[in-house]
Each structure stands twice: as structure tokens, then as C-alpha cells.
Amino acid sequence: MAEKDFEGAVAFVTGAGSGMGAAVCRALAARGAEKVYAVDVNTDAVTKVTAEIDCAQPLAMDVSNADQVREAFERVAADSGRVDVVVHAAGVDDPVSKQWIYEARESGEKLDVLSRLTDDAWRRVMSINLDGTFYVLREAARLMRKGGGGSIVTVGSSSALDTLSGYPHYAASKAGVHAMSQAAAKELLPFGIRVNTVAPGPVDTGMAARTPAHLREAMAAGPARGYATADELADNILYLASPAAANVVGAILLSNGGQFTVP
Ligand SMILES: NC(=O)c1ccc[n+]([C@@H]2O[C@H](COP(=O)([O-])OP(=O)(O)OC[C@H]3O[C@@H](n4cnc5c(N)ncnc54)[C@H](O)[C@@H]3O)[C@@H](O)[C@H]2O)c1
């Protein structure tokens, strides 16, 4: 049986309808959480996830909409009075750019994503991945400060560090997530709030399923472990959120199976 290190906790998990967010919700329940607000823009998906978790409640919210994020946290404040753990896993990839990377690899042509990248594609990734992180951190800080503390984990990406060619908008959004989370970690520590970040490499989730097969193979090639499971990442995320990481503040935990650290 899992250790009950989240006994009695009230948690708020974004991106809970799929992949890592869903895995975090299941793990929080197994580890004793009292209430898990499972938050996602995809209402059907998150309702399916919560149907199998007694303590979870689905909450519809678009992280790129500041009003919706504020209202969701107000709802938590009204219903539970506090939030102890916030995991912000909602995020998007860009399947069009992935397709262009794949086509260039297949054809042997030089890669051309940057010159074709539209304003809309840029804004979509930045508004969900970066603006969304700001809105969630801001509301989490407001509520946790009132409650006397808590723990926040954001999800960045190893792609902010190895900056995959043809993925500038995604890499920039996640580099922003890393920097914002570290700045927030310093500011919020005096209020008893710990902020940390997990930076995953390839993980087998809905997002990975949108990567063309050949590109997936290339990303999994080499001596590194290849695709991790969502449960493995949930373990990393919940380590940072748990009392075991009491001394870990502002960390960017790289969890990429050695993808670029293994020679
Ligand atoms: N899968 C990977 O290989 C990988 C690698 C590095 C980082 N990441 C990051 O990990 C996080 C989790 O991704 P995942 O792999 O579990 O992806 P996923 O696609 O399986 O799940 C993401 C969830 O976020 C939700 N979401 C998307 N836009 C939203 C919005 N505007 N508001 C609220 N919810 C929204 C989706 O509906 C989905 O349920 C993301 O931030 C992603 O960028 C993923």
C-alpha cells in the first residue's frame, strides 16, 4: 500500500483529464488526499478520470483564461477553505510543427519551422503554457497565503534545456515556466509555500501520441531510457509536493531518462 504522505490534503491538479495530471490525481488519492480538484478544459475526459477516484471532483477550467482560473480557485476556497497542494500539469504541444520536423527528417530537406510559424500557433502555445502558469501560480499564491502555506509543482520540459530544433515556441514557453517558477519559489518561501518544477523528457501520454511515429522513434533512440510512463512522472511530481522534499525549493527536477545527459 502506498505511503499516506498526503493524508487529509486538499489538492488542485490541472491537466487532470489525461497523462501526467490524471496519474497525479490517482496517486494523490492512493496516498491519502482528502479532496482532489481535478481540473481540465476537456470536461468529458476529466469526468472519466474522476469517476474512478472517490475523493476527486472534476472542475472545468481553461488555464489560459484568467477569469476562469480565478473562479476555480474561488470555488475551492468556498468549498474547502484552503488548498495544500497545487500541481499544474496542463499544457499543449504543437502537432503542426511536429509534423514539419517529421517531414524534414523523412525528406532530408533542411528544417523550416520558424519562418512558417504563425502568430496564432505562437500565441496558442504561449497563452496555455506560459500565461496559464502565471494565472495558476498567482491564484495558488493568493489562496495558499491565506491558508498559511502549501506546495506547488509546475511542469516544465527538458525541451527548454535541449531546445529541440523546430520547436522554438514550445521551448520558449517551458523556459518561461522554469524561470517563473523559480522566481515564485523565492518570493513565496517566506509564506510557507514551496514551489518546484519537474522537467520531463518524452513521456507516454496523449501528448506523445500526437508525435509522428518516426519522430517518436528518433526521440527514443540512443542510450537513454526512452519514453517514461505518466505514473513515473507522477512519482517525481509528488515527491516534490510531499514533506520528503521539505528542503527542496525552486528546483527544476530533470526527469528525462538521461536523454541528453547520457553520452
Ligand atoms: N508528454 C511528454 O512527452 C511531455 C514532455 C515534457 C513536458 N510535458 C508537459 O507535461 C504536461 C502534461 O502533459 P501530458 O504529456 O500529460 O499531456 P496530455 O496531452 O496527455 O495532457 C494534458 C492535459 O492538459 C489539458 N489542457 C490542455 N489545454 C488546457 C487548457 N487550456 N486548460 C486546461 N487544461 C488544458 C488537456 O485537455 C489534457 O487533459 C504538459 O505541461 C506538457 O507540456 C509533456
Side-chain angles (χ1 to χ4, degrees):
M1 193 160 93
E3 192 192 344
K4 299 288 183 194
D5 49 356
F6 288 93
E7 190 88 61
V10 175
F12 183 100
V13 181
T14 74
S18 174
M20 293 175 222
V24 166
C25 291
R26 286 190 288 269
L28 277 167
R31 289 161 70 165
E34 174 187 308
K35 179 91 183 184
V36 176
Y37 291 94
V39 188
D40 206 287
V41 74
N42 186 335
T43 322
D44 288 347
V46 79
T47 304
K48 273 189 200 135
V49 170
T50 54
E52 293 167 11
I53 308 173
D54 285 345
C55 65
Q57 177 180 326
L59 209 53
M61 183 191 91
D62 178 349
V63 294
S64 67
N65 182 314
D67 290 339
Q68 287 186 23
V69 178
R70 183 176 38 75
E71 284 160 16
F73 276 90
E74 283 173 356
R75 169 93 179 271
V76 173
D79 290 355
S80 295
R82 66 178 209 282
V83 67
D84 305 305
V85 174
V86 170
V87 173
H88 175 45
V92 286
D93 57 344
D94 179 2
V96 174
S97 297
K98 278 182 177 171
Q99 182 63 28
W100 288 341
I101 297 169
Y102 161 71
E103 285 168 7
R105 286 196 188 195
E106 285 294 288
S107 67
E109 297 283 319
K110 284 181 185 155
L111 182 62
D112 176 18
V113 171
L114 190 58
S115 78
R116 292 191 284 173
L117 200 59
T118 64
D119 292 357
D120 284 351
W122 169 264
R123 271 312 320 151
R124 174 178 166 272
V125 167
M126 296 306 276
S127 69
I128 296 172
N129 291 359
L130 190 56
D131 298 357
T133 301
F134 165 53
Y135 300 145
V136 169
L137 280 174
R138 180 171 62 181
E139 297 305 331
R142 285 174 175 163
L143 186 52
M144 282 182 176
R145 282 176 57 157
K146 282 187 201 147
S151 180
I152 304 172
V153 181
T154 58
V155 180
S157 174
S158 80
S159 68
L161 306 168
D162 66 357
T163 57
L164 175 67
S165 183
Y167 229 29
H169 44 341
Y170 186 83
S173 74
K174 291 300 188 177
V177 169
H178 294 182
M180 195 189 330
S181 302
Q182 290 189 307
K186 292 177 193 164
E187 186 182 333
L188 295 178
L189 189 60
F191 298 98
I193 303 168
R194 285 189 307 110
V195 183
N196 286 290
T197 301
V198 168
V203 187
D204 205 0
T205 65
M207 186 172 285
R210 292 186 288 274
T211 304
H214 283 67
L215 190 54
R216 275 180 64 105
E217 280 163 26
M219 287 173 81
R225 277 184 79 226
Y227 279 78
T229 67
D231 287 337
E232 287 174 326
L233 268 295
D235 280 347
N236 297 156
I237 290 167
L238 290 187
Y239 161 67
L240 290 177
S242 76
N247 195 45
V248 184
V249 179
I252 308 293
L253 176 60
L254 181 62
S255 176
N256 70 353
Q259 196 179 46
F260 57 85
T261 46
V262 173

